[in-house]
Structures are given as C-alpha cells and as structure tokens.
Amino acid sequence: METKDDTQASKKILCVGLCNIDIIQVCDAYPVEDSDQRCQSSRWQRGGNASNNCTVLANLGARCELLASFSDSNTFQFALDDLRQRKIVFDQCVYHRDTQVPLSTVWLSVATGSRTIVHSNPDLPELTLEDFKKINLADYAWIHFEGRRNTAAIVQMIQRIHCWNLDPNNHSCKVTISVEMEKPRHSNLDLLVDGVDVVFVGKDFARFVGHKSARETVQALKESHPGRYTIICPWGSSDTVAMDECGRWYSQQTYPPEVIRDSLGAGDTFVAGCIFKLSQNERSLSTVLEFASRLAGRKLAHFGFDEPC
C-alpha cells in the first residue's frame, strides 16, 4: 500500500521563471572596450534561473518541471532539445508567437573567474496568473518561484497555492512554496514573502535595497515580514546566513575550488541544492546548507552543469 510519504515523493518539483539561451565566451580576461580579440572557447547553453534550477535538480535525480514563457522561434529549439535530453518536463509552458528568443551574452574571465552578463528580452511576455491556473497543483510537492518583474502575478500564484494548501481535502499533500529574490532591478520583490515556506535572498538584491551583509538582510526581512518561514541569504564567496522558521540562526562557510572556471549559475546551483535536500525531508538546516554550499563549490570548478566523468 502506498503511504503518504510515497505519494509526495512521487510528485514533481516545479520551477517557475525564465528560460533563455546563454551565449558564452571563455576569455583570457574581460574584453577591453573597442577591442578585437579571440576567446579560448565558446558555447551555447540553456539558461535562466528557474531553468538552471531544473538542470541541477535533474542532475541530482529529482523529478522536476519547468513553467516558463517560450518563444516560438526556431532558434529556441536548442533549449527545447536540451530540456528533453535531460528529461525535464515542460508540457505546461506557454508559447508566444512571433517573439524573439531571450538571450544572455556571457563573458567568463579565466584570469578572475568572474562572469559578466548582458541580457536581452525585448518582447517575450512574463507568465500570468491565467497561465498558472492551468496547472494541477496536486501534481507537485514543491513549487519554486524565480522573482521577476511580474511580481503582482507571482503574488497571486502564491496565494492560489496557499488557498489550495488550506483546503482540508489537501491536508495530506500540501505544496511547499519557495521564492528567490535575486534581481536587483526589481525593488518590490519582498512582497513575495507572505505565504512562502522558504525565501532565498541574493546578495545583489540585498545590496540594491540597502543591506550591507547577509545577517543584516535576514534580520531586516524577518522584522518587516514576520512569519514562520526559513530565509537563506548566500553572500557570494562569504558565508551563507540563514534563519529557520523558529528564529534560529545558521552560518555556513563556502567551499571554493582551487581554480574557479565558471561562476555562471553557481547561485542557481546553491538554490537547487537547498530545495533538493529540503524536498527530501531533511530536517537539519545545517545539513541542507552544507550540501548546497559544497555542490555550488563543485560547480565553480567546471564549465557548465555537467561535471566530467
């Protein structure tokens, strides 16, 4: 007989957000303005925070699904082929006709290990509440949102899950909700906290709203938005600071490799690592943070998301 835990384990993790194409150039050093130089190597890679989260989760063996807006351009077929190859479900994604592919041009500096991103997304619409209503919440154990400029719509999506969770008929199969606030250009992302179980706050966003450290960020958000949720704030190469739903503080060191080859997607790897362990009912937040930090450290040592055999 299938137990409640077995039923939840068979459900998927849904990541909601962006899927784009990254055009990556590996350079000896960051290009000098108005120069002409060759790179060491170049590649295309499916990108976007939610999309990258799915890649890492799939690599870890999780059943995951992506919900995003898609361009109907032939160029976007590259991203679709990669999703299929990795067995990431994308049946519920919304296609838009005559739209351009979201592109990120990325320079990876071998000298410093830094990545510089220039993003283009001129006309692909963001997901709407109506798009989200088409999914069956009973199919998912966890839904993660990438905080984007459609904040009002994401708030409504979260409220929809929250109402579903409150229904007595769904008491045994509640959906865990997490959100990432990372984009520094969206100052109202803190509206997404209400009703969420786990909040990830990126260093760039924290600085954008005036905070100078991970601990200051966690404390400020907990004071302005009190509630029983876990908040996790990775601060680049410095320690990650977190507070669980009971108000206990945690600090986790990072594990950088001897040589940083590719920092693109390291933050997405950390977030996915946390979600993976938490979705497995890992009760120790210290264990979760250490796993995610080590996973992100390993990612920094390799190009892309697939470690060499």
Side-chain angles (χ1 to χ4, degrees):
M1 175 182 251
E2 192 173 54
T3 66
K4 169 185 168 184
D5 288 342
D6 291 335
T7 301
Q8 284 296 88
S10 68
K11 294 185 177 184
K12 291 173 288 188
I13 299 172
L14 178 67
C15 297
V16 183
L18 177 68
C19 182
N20 69 285
I21 294 176
D22 292 336
I23 302 173
I24 301 167
Q25 309 267 13
V26 180
C27 306
D28 292 329
Y30 182 79
V32 177
E33 185 177 355
D34 199 24
S35 66
D36 184 355
Q37 66 184 68
R38 286 185 177 271
C39 64
Q40 288 191 6
S41 63
S42 65
R43 69 181 189 274
W44 282 29
Q45 182 174 290
R46 176 175 48 80
N49 288 25
S51 175
N52 289 341
N53 295 149
C54 282
T55 298
V56 177
L57 287 166
N59 286 349
L60 291 170
R63 297 184 65 236
C64 60
E65 180 174 344
L66 175 66
L67 180 62
S69 292
F70 281 177
S71 167
D72 68 347
S73 166
N74 290 334
T75 306
F76 200 71
Q77 188 65 44
F78 170 84
L80 303 184
D81 290 343
D82 189 66
L83 287 165
R84 293 190 188 97
Q85 181 180 348
R86 295 178 182 277
K87 296 181 172 55
I88 298 170
V89 179
F90 59 94
D91 298 347
Q92 305 292 333
C93 289
V94 183
Y95 291 82
H96 295 274
R97 297 183 60 184
D98 302 322
T99 55
Q100 298 183 50
V101 180
L103 293 173
S104 289
T105 305
V106 185
W107 290 273
L108 296 180
S109 169
V110 174
T112 64
S114 67
R115 89 284 186 275
T116 302
I117 304 172
V118 179
H119 185 62
S120 170
N121 186 2
D123 60 3
L124 188 67
E126 296 282 357
L127 290 166
T128 67
L129 177 61
E130 294 306 312
D131 296 330
F132 188 76
K133 284 182 177 179
K134 296 174 184 177
I135 71 169
N136 182 3
L137 295 178
D139 292 339
Y140 309 103
W142 191 298
I143 298 181
H144 173 69
F145 293 92
E146 171 192 348
R148 297 187 54 76
R149 63 176 180 266
N150 59 333
T151 305
I154 298 175
V155 168
Q156 292 175 313
M157 296 175 198
I158 292 171
Q159 289 174 342
R160 179 173 175 80
I161 304 170
H162 191 55
C163 290
W164 194 87
N165 283 341
L166 291 175
D167 188 329
N169 295 324
N170 304 322
H171 180 71
S172 63
C173 52
K174 290 184 178 180
V175 177
T176 302
I177 310 168
S178 62
V179 66
E180 179 188 21
M181 301 188 297
E182 185 244 6
K183 297 292 185 293
R185 59 186 176 273
H186 306 319
S187 59
N188 59 345
L189 289 181
D190 62 317
L191 298 176
L192 302 177
V193 171
D194 294 338
V196 171
D197 299 289
V198 182
V199 177
F200 299 94
V201 185
K203 178 181 179 180
D204 289 343
F205 174 78
R207 283 180 164 176
F208 179 67
V209 296
H211 303 310
K212 298 177 182 176
S213 68
R215 188 177 184 90
E216 178 184 323
T217 301
V218 170
Q219 187 159 357
L221 197 59
K222 273 288 190 176
E223 288 176 353
S224 61
H225 297 273
R228 289 184 60 82
Y229 61 89
T230 295
I231 178 170
I232 300 171
C233 183
W235 203 260
S237 59
S238 301
D239 293 359
T240 292
V241 174
M243 180 185 287
D244 66 16
E245 61 181 17
C246 298
R248 294 182 289 253
W249 286 93
Y250 299 80
S251 179
Q252 172 61 51
Q253 71 178 89
T254 58
Y255 297 96
E258 290 186 10
V259 178
I260 296 177
R261 292 185 172 86
D262 183 1
S263 58
L264 180 65
D268 302 331
T269 300
F270 176 85
V271 169
C274 288
I275 292 173
F276 178 74
K277 292 300 285 186
L278 289 168
S279 69
Q280 292 186 316
N281 295 319
E282 174 57 62
R283 303 299 183 187
S284 168
L285 187 55
S286 293
T287 300
V288 170
L289 296 175
E290 181 171 2
F291 173 83
S293 293
R294 290 188 180 277
L295 189 68
R298 292 205 304 270
K299 187 266 167 288
L300 289 169
H302 304 284
F303 292 110
F305 293 98
D306 300 313
E307 295 184 25
C309 298

